[in-house]
Amino acid sequence: QVQLVESGGGLVRPGGSLTLSCVGSGFTFSSLAMGWYRQRPGKEREFVAGITTLGGDTNYADSVKGRFTISRDNAKNTMYLQMNSLKPDDTAVYYCNAGRTIYGVILPSDDYWGEGTQVTVSS
């Protein structure tokens, strides 16, 4: 059974940093592109960042470009999202995905989600 488990969320002050982790199991980790999505209060789920199977290419939403960095360590079955210069508008539940392209396109083969981790940016 495929599992994706996010961790690292919490409360951080504006301008601060936070790093999220997503640990995958039940599949060949290096075989799937992965990404981060988020759902802000009162808004629809949105794409944040994507990364190819070996980490050679990445893609970011304009809203986080230059502030967030996505990476993965296939030996540890873990994907990361380093978030810097956080803003109150970054407050959201952040979700890990496996199987979608780095542009957020759904593929017929795989589309897996974690349960999310809460990030709150507030003073």
Side-chain angles (χ1 to χ4, degrees), residues 41-119:
K43 298 184 178 181
E44 296 183 357
R45 182 185 61 192
E46 64 183 298
F47 171 83
V48 175
I51 188 166
T52 51
T53 56
L54 302 183
D57 290 302
T58 58
N59 182 48
Y60 299 91
D62 288 342
S63 59
V64 307
K65 194 171 298 181
R67 299 188 298 122
F68 290 11
T69 302
I70 188 171
S71 62
R72 65 192 295 166
D73 186 342
N74 289 342
K76 297 180 179 178
N77 287 355
T78 304
M79 177 181 65
Y80 306 94
L81 184 67
Q82 179 185 325
M83 305 184 293
N84 300 324
S85 302
L86 284 162
K87 307 173 180 179
D89 199 44
D90 294 318
T91 295
V93 178
Y94 284 73
Y95 297 94
C96 174
N97 173 270
R100 298 190 176 199
T101 75
I102 65 172
Y103 300 100
V105 177
I106 304 171
L107 298 175
S109 54
D110 302 280
D111 190 26
Y112 306 114
W113 294 95
E115 293 188 357
T117 185
Q118 176 71 49
V119 172

